Amino acid sequence: MDSPKRIAYLVSEYPALNHSYILREIRELRRSGWDVHVASISADTRPLAQLTEEERQERSRTWYVKPKGITGALGAHFAAVTRQSRAYFRGLRYALGLDGLQPAKTIRNFFYFTEALLVGQWMQKSGLRHIHIHFASTVGLLLAKTFPLSISITMHGPAEFEQPDGFHLREKIETAEFICAISEYGKAQLMKHCVPDQAGKLETVRLGIDPEQFVAGPRTLLAHSTLEVISVGRLAPEKAQRVLIDAVAQLLAEGRRVRLRIVGEGPERGALEKHIATTKMPEVVRLEGALNQDQLKTLYRESDVFALASFAEGVPVVLMEAMAMEIPCVATRIAGIPELIQDGVDGLLSTPGDAREMAAALAQLMDDRGLAMRIGKAGRLKIIEQYNLSKNTALLAKVFERRVRGERSASE
């Protein structure tokens, strides 16, 4: 009987609260017979009590880079110089020349090179020859330039598409065995930034969730007199929570009863708190902070509508979660979101930055319960058919089988 195929994953932080879909992808691959070993650049710093059981399990079996500290870093350089000096200096030259004569970026790339040394040596000790990367692609690029290993990358966007030179997008496409885009929009952006003969490396593999883990609870849609709106995302300018708060203020000005709960943490928290105070809505808008998946599901079940006012996105997994729970969604018409939501069919779309249009979409759902119910049910059907974790991870596994030279255990 064949032993499982072996592969490594490299993630910027694992398990991460805002990247729970990576955990699901890895665990689903393992359930389907893949032997997945995970390396993470940063350790998750949440207290153990704040983790779900799955997150605790993943933390215990993940190999972490930064906690190795200065001693580990120096040891990695010494081992590379003494055991594979030609490869070491080849990789070092590439890293230091990646951004030309820009001192700050050169120093940053040296640190990335150090992390690549640590990961590469871990892979060699573990007998791993291919690594798939989420959100640590520059480390992966340097890894491939230094070690006889192959890489593949999932590109989420939008930052890579907005700054293709800064992210060395063309170099990463040329070096990788393949690149996964999470939407057709993302694939088109990658095509725009690669040479024509590299376009064949691009694959579209959608993210997904388990629709059996996100189901509609025992609630009646819009049963309360107050519209309960939830939004989930990092508190950052590109997520545009300020626009959503202004949309809620517009609804209040129309005499409507509404409450907004924003889940997430980030650098914009202070500014949002001031904006909430300025608009005099401390009882209406609540910043819930960071919540784990179990806590988030509880808030989903208490919500009538999910709203996302983002200026920039990939394809938000939180939208998939809400849709699977039959919560009607309102989101902005950007990037890959129109592939997930067909306006008026399985959600409503609005123009980014337009608080009045966002408010009008929320009011439409509040006034037309039949529409809200239809959109909610259609949203769940869309997730089951096109954003199902099991189906989409199976597609990713087929890409690995087709693109990556098969890795079997040494016993074969």
Side-chain angles (χ1 to χ4, degrees):
M1 179 177 175
D2 283 349
S3 61
K5 289 188 175 180
R6 305 180 71 244
I7 195 169
Y9 259 59
L10 176 62
V11 186
S12 58
E13 181 182 329
Y14 184 81
L17 194 61
N18 57 335
H19 294 152
S20 57
Y21 52 86
I22 300 175
L23 178 148
R24 297 172 196 157
E25 178 178 294
I26 289 168
R27 291 176 72 91
E28 185 64 25
L29 280 170
R30 288 183 183 139
R31 276 191 287 269
S32 66
W34 286 76
D35 182 16
V36 182
H37 299 249
V38 181
S40 177
I41 300 299
S42 298
D44 176 35
T45 58
R46 286 175 291 161
L48 198 62
Q50 293 182 13
L51 304 183
T52 65
E53 179 57 33
E54 286 186 338
E55 289 172 330
R56 294 190 191 100
Q57 292 172 8
E58 291 302 309
R59 179 190 279 186
S60 69
R61 66 187 296 178
T62 298
W63 187 86
Y64 291 100
V65 176
K66 285 187 177 178
K68 300 294 181 281
I70 294 176
T71 302
L74 292 175
H77 281 278
F78 179 78
V81 168
T82 55
R83 297 174 190 168
Q84 49 190 102
S85 60
R86 289 181 63 184
Y88 173 85
F89 287 110
R90 180 180 66 242
L92 179 61
R93 278 196 304 272
Y94 186 86
L96 298 182
L98 197 55
D99 284 293
L101 301 176
Q102 300 183 60
K105 291 185 177 180
T106 299
I107 293 170
R108 181 197 63 188
N109 290 336
F110 176 77
F111 286 121
Y112 285 158
F113 175 66
T114 301
E115 292 168 354
L117 290 179
L118 285 160
V119 175
Q121 291 166 12
W122 165 75
M123 288 183 67
Q124 289 181 327
K125 290 176 184 176
S126 303
L128 297 159
R129 298 195 299 276
H130 182 83
I131 191 162
H132 188 69
I133 301 157
H134 286 271
F135 298 112
S137 56
T138 301
V139 176
L141 173 64
L142 299 178
L143 179 65
K145 294 295 183 180
T146 309
F147 293 88
L149 306 167
S150 60
I151 67 169
S152 54
I153 307 170
T154 292
M155 289 288 184
H156 296 262
E160 301 95 327
F161 309 146
E162 295 169 353
Q163 304 174 54
D165 294 334
F167 278 88
H168 310 291
L169 204 51
R170 179 168 293 192
E171 292 90 338
K172 290 171 184 176
I173 295 171
E174 290 175 348
T175 303
E177 294 293 307
F178 66 92
I179 304 285
C180 285
I182 61 172
S183 66
E184 293 300 334
Y185 169 85
K187 183 178 180 180
Q189 295 301 301
L190 290 168
M191 291 179 71
K192 183 170 72 173
H193 298 298
C194 75
V195 295
D197 65 356
Q198 296 290 312
K201 289 185 175 183
L202 307 180
E203 302 272 358
T204 302
V205 181
R206 295 186 178 107
L207 302 177
I209 65 164
D210 181 353
E212 298 307 314
Q213 294 297 317
F214 293 88
V215 296
R219 64 183 174 85
T220 303
L221 188 67
L222 297 166
H224 1 74
S225 59
T226 300
L227 182 73
E228 297 285 347
V229 181
I230 185 172
S231 185
V232 183
R234 185 167 180 265
L235 305 186
E238 66 271 16
K239 297 296 183 179
Q241 285 99 349
R242 181 185 294 257
V243 175
L244 182 55
I245 292 169
D246 289 343
V248 168
Q250 174 69 27
L251 293 174
L252 291 175
E254 296 172 4
R256 297 175 181 274
R257 295 172 60 88
V258 59
R259 182 167 69 155
L260 171 63
R261 300 166 98 172
I262 299 175
V263 178
E265 200 52 83
E268 194 78 350
R269 184 181 184 95
L272 291 174
E273 288 174 338
K274 289 180 181 178
H275 190 57
I276 292 166
T278 299
T279 52
K280 299 179 180 180
M281 294 194 298
E283 304 301 319
V284 174
V285 181
R286 180 172 174 178
L287 302 181
E288 298 283 352
L291 302 179
N292 67 29
Q293 282 289 297
D294 294 338
Q295 296 166 323
L296 180 56
K297 285 179 186 177
T298 298
L299 285 194
Y300 279 149
R301 294 188 187 101
E302 297 172 357
S303 302
D304 296 314
V305 176
F306 185 101
L308 201 66
S310 299
F311 296 136
E313 284 286 357
V315 182
V317 173
V318 289
L319 275 176
M320 301 176 201
E321 294 171 351
M323 291 168 71
M325 296 185 73
E326 298 187 13
I327 303 170
C329 294
V330 178
T332 42
R333 194 180 290 102
I334 58 167
I337 290 178
E339 295 175 40
L340 175 62
I341 292 178
Q342 183 180 352
D343 191 23
V345 176
D346 37 38
L348 297 179
L349 297 177
S350 68
T351 302
D354 192 331
R356 287 185 176 276
E357 191 174 331
M358 175 68 70
L362 293 171
Q364 185 179 1
L365 293 174
M366 195 174 191
D367 293 339
D368 191 339
R369 295 191 182 189
L371 174 66
M373 291 287 287
R374 289 194 300 275
I375 281 177
K377 292 185 180 300
R380 177 168 174 79
L381 185 61
K382 169 70 77 66
I383 298 307
I384 291 172
E385 291 179 346
Q386 298 184 29
Y387 294 88
N388 185 304
L389 175 66
S390 179
K391 293 178 182 178
N392 291 353
T393 306
L395 293 174
L396 176 61
K398 288 181 179 178
V399 174
F400 284 141
E401 291 168 0
R402 176 163 40 89
R403 295 277 194 172
V404 180
R405 290 181 293 277
E407 293 190 31
R408 299 293 180 180
S409 66
S411 63
E412 290 189 297

